[in-house]
Amino acid sequence: SFGSSSSSRGGLSAHTRAAMTFSADALIVPCCIVGILFACYQFTLIRQVKVGDGSMAGKDSLEAQETPEGRIVGIYIRIMEGAMTFLREEYTICAVFCVFFGLTIMGLVSWGTHSTKQGVATAVAFWIGASTSMLCGFLGMMIATYSNARTTLSAVKKEDGYTKAFNVAFRGGSVMGYLLCSLGVLVLWILLTVYRMFFDDMETLMDCVAGYGLGGSTVAMFGRVGGGIYTKAADVGADLVGKVVAGLEEDDPRNPATIADNVGDNVGDIAGMGADLFGSFAESTCAALVIAASAVAGKQDESLTAAGWDALMFPLAISAAG
């Protein structure tokens, strides 16, 4: 307990700090691993719903299929290819921007702090955050497109189609949520652990790690804005061509722009949301870490930094446990 004893005023003993450090790491890492494993388990349940025979046969004979169930394979492959193409082009541009922006951060931080080491560490954290955000957006898009066709197939069954379709869709969302949050916290913990070996000052360490949240937010901005513009452009284009020009119904299979509309829904609402979820999660956690490292309650020996590594990891432990 924290009272008026000398241990609370002068800091904790080395043995107690070691025990608390072990407790913090033992909470964060297992929670992240459990989250990733649970996401993988949910994904295996989604895979039990088969889409066609797993071949490309339905792609070239989409119009020839007589039933909606028979067309799902071709539609699924087209949407997957379109989403992959868009993400590849978007992330190529985003990667070039992040390289130059990271170099700018390195120069400005090195100039402002008169420490090349701190500038390099901040830039590296920024690049790691950007890469993790790209991975989260890609995984979110892949999981969503993978679940879409299986949700449709599950809904076809008259007996319990509603229940099975809801379960597949809900599991697809849980895979995305658990995987992205667990991956983001685990990468942040690894980054903090590595940087701890190079920085003795915890406030400087947390300032460098703040680049991790900035990298995630930068890619999230690209995902939300770029994907959103594409989504609305494809939606409006499909409606203009289908409804106004050709007189077709909404999402008519004879309208090829319907595929672009569905691709836009995936890359904008799902891949962008995945990157945005990671960006918000990482940014808020990094902000709490910076505040924890710089918070002082009257005297220097009563600050959170003096309380040890475990006290500083409290925001990360909350995120991991959640």
Side-chain angles (χ1 to χ4, degrees), residues 149-174:
R150 288 160 175 81
T151 302
T152 304
L153 284 175
S154 300
V156 172
K157 302 175 182 179
K158 296 182 179 180
E159 304 81 21
D160 54 353
Y162 176 82
T163 302
K164 290 186 176 180
F166 176 82
N167 289 338
V168 173
F170 191 82
R171 284 166 180 161
S174 67

Side-chain angles (χ1 to χ4, degrees), residues 186-227:
L186 183 60
V187 173
L188 179 57
W189 177 83
I190 293 174
L191 186 66
L192 286 166
T193 304
V194 173
Y195 275 19
R196 188 185 179 189
M197 297 184 290
F198 298 95
F199 293 94
D200 295 327
D201 184 11
M202 292 294 103
E203 187 172 353
T204 303
L205 187 152
M206 298 306 175
D207 288 340
C208 295
V209 172
Y212 180 79
L214 179 61
S217 299
T218 301
V219 175
M221 179 191 68
F222 272 89
R224 295 295 284 174
V225 176

Side-chain angles (χ1 to χ4, degrees), residues 27-294:
L27 174 65
I28 295 171
V29 178
C31 287
C32 295
I33 295 176
V34 168
I36 294 174
L37 292 178
F38 183 75
C40 294
Y41 170 71
Q42 293 293 321
F43 185 71
T44 57
L45 295 179
I46 297 175
R47 290 189 61 185
Q48 293 178 2
V49 181
K50 302 298 181 182
V51 177
D53 57 359
S55 65
M56 300 285 287
K59 181 180 179 181
D60 297 326
S61 58
L62 179 60
E63 293 78 7
Q65 300 293 335
E66 297 181 356
T67 62
E69 294 83 354
R71 297 177 180 175
I72 288 179
V73 177
I75 296 174
Y76 163 68
I77 293 174
R78 283 185 168 94
I79 294 175
M80 178 73 76
E81 289 181 350
M84 289 286 293
T85 301
F86 178 85
L87 279 187
R88 183 170 61 249
E89 296 297 327
E90 182 183 39
Y91 283 169
T92 299
I93 299 173
C94 186
V96 174
F97 173 80
C98 287
V99 168
F100 287 100
F101 192 48
L103 294 175
T104 303
I105 292 174
M106 182 189 304
L108 291 176
V109 173
S110 300
W111 174 73
T113 60
H114 305 287
S115 172
T116 305
K117 178 181 177 182
Q118 188 170 345
V120 172
T122 306
V124 170
F126 170 80
W127 286 325
I128 292 176
S131 301
T132 308
S133 186
M134 289 182 187
L135 178 62
C136 290
F138 174 77
L139 291 176
M141 188 274 298
M142 291 293 293
I143 293 166
T145 52
Y146 195 86
S147 304
N148 288 343
R150 288 160 175 81
T151 302
T152 304
L153 284 175
S154 300
V156 172
K157 302 175 182 179
K158 296 182 179 180
E159 304 81 21
D160 54 353
Y162 176 82
T163 302
K164 290 186 176 180
F166 176 82
N167 289 338
V168 173
F170 191 82
R171 284 166 180 161
S174 67
V175 170
M176 180 178 173
Y178 278 101
L179 184 60
L180 301 195
C181 293
S182 299
L183 185 63
V185 173
L186 183 60
V187 173
L188 179 57
W189 177 83
I190 293 174
L191 186 66
L192 286 166
T193 304
V194 173
Y195 275 19
R196 188 185 179 189
M197 297 184 290
F198 298 95
F199 293 94
D200 295 327
D201 184 11
M202 292 294 103
E203 187 172 353
T204 303
L205 187 152
M206 298 306 175
D207 288 340
C208 295
V209 172
Y212 180 79
L214 179 61
S217 299
T218 301
V219 175
M221 179 191 68
F222 272 89
R224 295 295 284 174
V225 176
I229 292 174
Y230 175 84
T231 300
K232 294 307 176 184
D235 190 11
V236 173
D239 289 340
L240 288 176
V241 172
K243 296 179 180 179
V244 179
V245 178
L248 301 175
E249 297 294 333
E250 180 81 17
D251 294 335
D252 194 293
R254 294 171 294 176
N255 183 6
T258 302
I259 298 296
D261 188 10
N262 282 273
V263 170
D265 291 337
N266 282 279
V267 299
D269 299 335
I270 300 174
M273 181 64 72
D276 194 23
L277 173 64
F278 167 78
S280 301
F281 198 68
E283 196 172 37
S284 59
T285 305
C286 289
L289 291 172
V290 172
I291 294 174
S294 58

